[in-house]
Amino acid sequence: MLRISLEQWRMFIMVAEHGGFNQAAQAIYKSQSSIHNAVQKIEHSLGVKLFRVEGRKTLLTDAGELVLRRANYLLQEAARVEQVGHTLAEGIESRLRIAVDEIFPHPLLYKALENTSQQYPLLRIELMESILTGAKELLENAEADIAVSPVVQKELFNEELCQIEFVAVACPQHPLLQLGRELNLEDLKSYRQIVVRDSAHHNRHDEGWLGANQRWTVSHMRTSIDMIKQGLGFAWLPLTSILEDLTQGRLQRLPLCSGASRKVSLYLLFSDADKLGPAARTFLGELRYQSIDLPTSADL
């Protein structure tokens, strides 16, 4: 079988897109005879007829339609290979592994990821969602390149990224909200608290108020929010994750005399700044920018 070059495939595609050999020749500044020869070589090599002529129109045959789809895919893949080569030559990393604590606002994270991908479209991003010490552990075990964590490690580079406000909430029908008065921590002890489990495998930490006699422990923040909305307990939840539920009345803040809210700092962690490539640095910049002016209780 005769070998078909990428340039010959390009000429075939131009004939199909422009509806004729003469039109294709004018579009890509090639002689009409060279385009004819390229198409004839493809037809001879494949043993099929790619075009039929009806009057002044050059139309694809059924076989030509199928081959065109494959040829377009072939050229797209060839372009991607070239881009990968340029990326490697410029020292741009091909993969970025990110561990992010679940309390970081998802819309801001998605925006930072999208903006990074627009600048580095060939970058493969691996996102690992974690709780408490989980992100730090993934970084320490070399399973992540960058971590966003509420727990810092002295041996790692750490930079405060933002503060997330947690507020004590329950659904409006919860018995605690039917008492009609200001609450204290003693009032909470008789009711179920929903807490989220540390996702680390070793040296797990407990966080928050631990005084409830009843406790359900779950693995994801979203599960905790769903349970609270179902009236299954109370919890301190990140304000950024429940802002819409509060404004729509699906959740209500507990009227605690003290401790109704607390702030948790999130930190950017990585082991060696010199090893971070341009895509990683771009993502860090996007995270910093997106983290400006997070909502607080004053915005309610």
Side-chain angles (χ1 to χ4, degrees):
M1 180 181 290
L2 298 174
R3 293 184 180 275
I4 304 171
S5 69
L6 289 177
E7 182 61 22
Q8 289 166 336
W9 282 121
R10 288 190 183 97
M11 286 191 265
F12 159 67
I13 291 172
M14 288 298 101
V15 175
E17 288 185 352
H18 292 278
F21 291 89
N22 184 50
Q23 296 92 319
Q26 293 176 2
I28 61 177
Y29 304 104
K30 295 277 188 180
S31 68
Q32 190 169 337
S33 61
S34 65
I35 295 178
H36 264 292
N37 290 336
V39 172
Q40 286 176 352
K41 182 177 180 180
I42 296 173
E43 291 179 329
H44 178 66
S45 179
L46 299 181
V48 296
K49 197 70 176 172
L50 300 177
F51 293 102
R52 69 181 190 276
V53 177
E54 294 184 4
R56 294 185 178 182
K57 295 182 179 180
T58 302
L59 305 174
L60 284 165
T61 63
D62 290 342
E65 293 277 4
L66 177 59
V67 171
L68 177 63
R69 290 196 294 271
R70 294 293 181 175
N72 277 319
Y73 176 77
L74 174 65
L75 291 188
Q76 289 168 4
E77 286 301 304
R80 291 190 182 100
V81 171
E82 291 178 4
Q83 287 179 320
V84 168
H86 293 313
T87 293
L88 295 174
E90 294 170 7
I92 300 172
E93 61 271 47
S94 61
R95 179 180 68 165
L96 181 58
R97 302 170 302 166
I98 307 162
V100 180
D101 195 280
E102 284 193 5
I103 67 174
F104 186 81
H106 286 183
L108 305 186
L109 173 62
Y110 301 155
K111 187 65 175 176
L113 291 171
E114 174 61 18
N115 289 347
T116 303
S117 287
Q118 286 180 358
Q119 295 186 54
Y120 302 97
L122 298 179
L123 180 69
R124 290 185 293 113
I125 294 175
E126 298 177 15
L127 179 65
M128 294 160 276
E129 296 176 284
S130 61
I131 296 291
L132 291 172
T133 60
K136 179 178 73 71
E137 182 181 81
L138 287 167
L139 187 62
E140 290 172 337
N141 293 340
E143 297 176 56
D145 304 306
I146 295 171
V148 177
S149 169
V151 183
V152 299
Q153 175 76 10
K154 291 182 180 179
E155 289 74 20
L156 300 172
F157 173 88
N158 61 84
E159 168 195 331
E160 187 175 45
L161 176 64
C162 61
Q163 287 191 329
I164 303 296
E165 184 177 0
F166 280 68
V167 293
V169 296
C171 79
Q173 295 76 34
H174 193 280
L176 281 168
L177 289 167
Q178 307 308 312
L179 296 176
R181 59 174 173 81
E182 194 173 57
L183 305 175
N184 55 50
L185 295 181
E186 285 298 316
D187 293 319
L188 304 185
K189 288 185 177 181
S190 300
Y191 297 92
R192 183 186 301 123
Q193 182 184 9
I194 309 296
V195 297
V196 183
R197 177 185 294 108
D198 192 329
S199 64
H201 295 290
H202 306 287
N203 301 319
R204 291 178 173 175
H205 289 188
D206 284 325
E207 290 288 334
W209 185 68
L210 305 175
N213 296 323
Q214 301 180 57
R215 170 182 293 230
W216 285 4
T217 303
V218 299
S219 298
H220 297 284
M221 186 64 65
R222 176 49 54 190
T223 305
S224 174
I225 295 172
D226 288 342
M227 285 183 169
I228 303 305
K229 288 160 64 175
Q230 293 290 327
L232 298 176
F234 70 91
W236 276 263
L237 295 175
L239 179 63
T240 52
S241 299
I242 59 171
L243 198 57
E244 184 177 349
D245 290 316
L246 286 170
T247 56
Q248 297 295 323
R250 292 185 290 267
L251 290 175
Q252 190 171 327
R253 298 185 62 165
L254 295 178
L256 286 165
C257 56
S258 64
S261 69
R262 59 187 176 91
K263 291 187 176 181
V264 173
S265 292
L266 280 178
Y267 300 87
L268 283 176
L269 305 179
F270 46 88
S271 56
D272 189 345
D274 293 333
K275 292 183 179 179
L276 294 178
R281 295 176 184 276
T282 296
F283 175 71
L284 290 175
E286 287 291 339
L287 271 187
R288 294 183 183 108
Y289 178 75
Q290 296 297 332
S291 300
I292 298 172
D293 297 330
L294 288 176
T296 66
S297 294
D299 299 317
L300 292 176

